[in-house]
Amino acid sequence: MTQEQRAGFRMPTPSSKALAVDQHGNRLVSFTLGTEDVLPGGAPMPMALTALWHRGEVVMVYDRFRGHWELPGGLLEPGESPRQAAVRELHEESGQVPSDPLRFVGYAGFLLGPAQRAEYGALFTGRTLRRRSFAADQEIGAMRWWGLTAPLPGRVSDIDVYLARLTRPAGSH
């Protein structure tokens, strides 16, 4: 048995049942709680996402290219760990900084694009005691603190809502 099998990883395949689907046909097909040092096998792991919380609300960013609200995150740069990418992307996309080190939650298994390309993404969570200012750029048009229920203006990624709910702090329902 491989280390990935012991950790509970299942390779995303086109026949995998979706936990959530976004408007572009991207599918979240698995989520494995785990330890940060046991990387999933069988598919690339090129991205990291962060659910940052403040007083029961999670930060969401509006990605101009995808046309929807999502958790801050993105691709790992060469030589960068998933944790480093999560912190960098959180700050670049939202202007926010966690008050404590981010907590690793697990690995999300995706099937992406028309070809349903299998990939994993690392999910981190944390909190901030202070909301910081935000400046829109070419990629990110807006940032909001969201309690997961009130409507946001425009589309919201169902995949990112699913992942944010996995990280919701106790007592913030």
Side-chain angles (χ1 to χ4, degrees), residues 24-171:
H24 302 291
N26 296 316
R27 300 189 305 150
L28 172 66
V29 295
S30 68
F31 190 82
T32 306
L33 297 171
T35 57
E36 196 170 348
D37 59 335
V38 179
L39 295 173
M45 211 290 304
M47 72 179 105
L49 303 165
T50 301
L52 185 72
W53 294 87
H54 176 77
R55 296 187 179 171
E57 295 179 319
V58 68
V59 69
M60 298 289 282
V61 295
Y62 186 81
D63 185 291
R64 294 178 196 262
F65 303 114
R66 286 189 274 279
H68 64 221
W69 292 93
E70 61 189 29
L71 294 171
L75 297 175
L76 280 66
E77 292 181 353
E80 189 175 48
S81 72
R83 176 176 294 278
Q84 291 167 328
V87 171
R88 177 185 51 77
E89 288 283 348
L90 173 65
H91 186 260
E92 285 178 3
E93 293 187 354
S94 72
Q96 305 306 305
V97 177
S99 294
D100 302 307
L102 293 176
R103 182 177 62 83
F104 175 75
V105 181
Y107 292 105
F110 299 99
L111 293 172
L112 303 172
Q116 294 291 280
R117 176 182 76 256
E119 287 185 2
Y120 286 100
L123 177 63
F124 292 85
T125 191
R127 65 184 181 97
T128 186
L129 300 175
R130 189 182 86 162
R131 295 180 183 197
R132 290 169 171 79
S133 62
F134 164 79
D137 63 20
Q138 289 182 335
E139 178 188 5
I140 305 299
M143 190 262 321
R144 297 273 193 287
W145 290 96
W146 187 48
L148 299 179
T149 55
L152 287 170
R155 295 181 184 161
V156 180
S157 168
D158 289 340
I159 291 172
D160 289 48
V161 171
Y162 184 96
L163 294 173
R165 285 190 173 124
L166 291 177
T167 69
R168 186 186 332 209

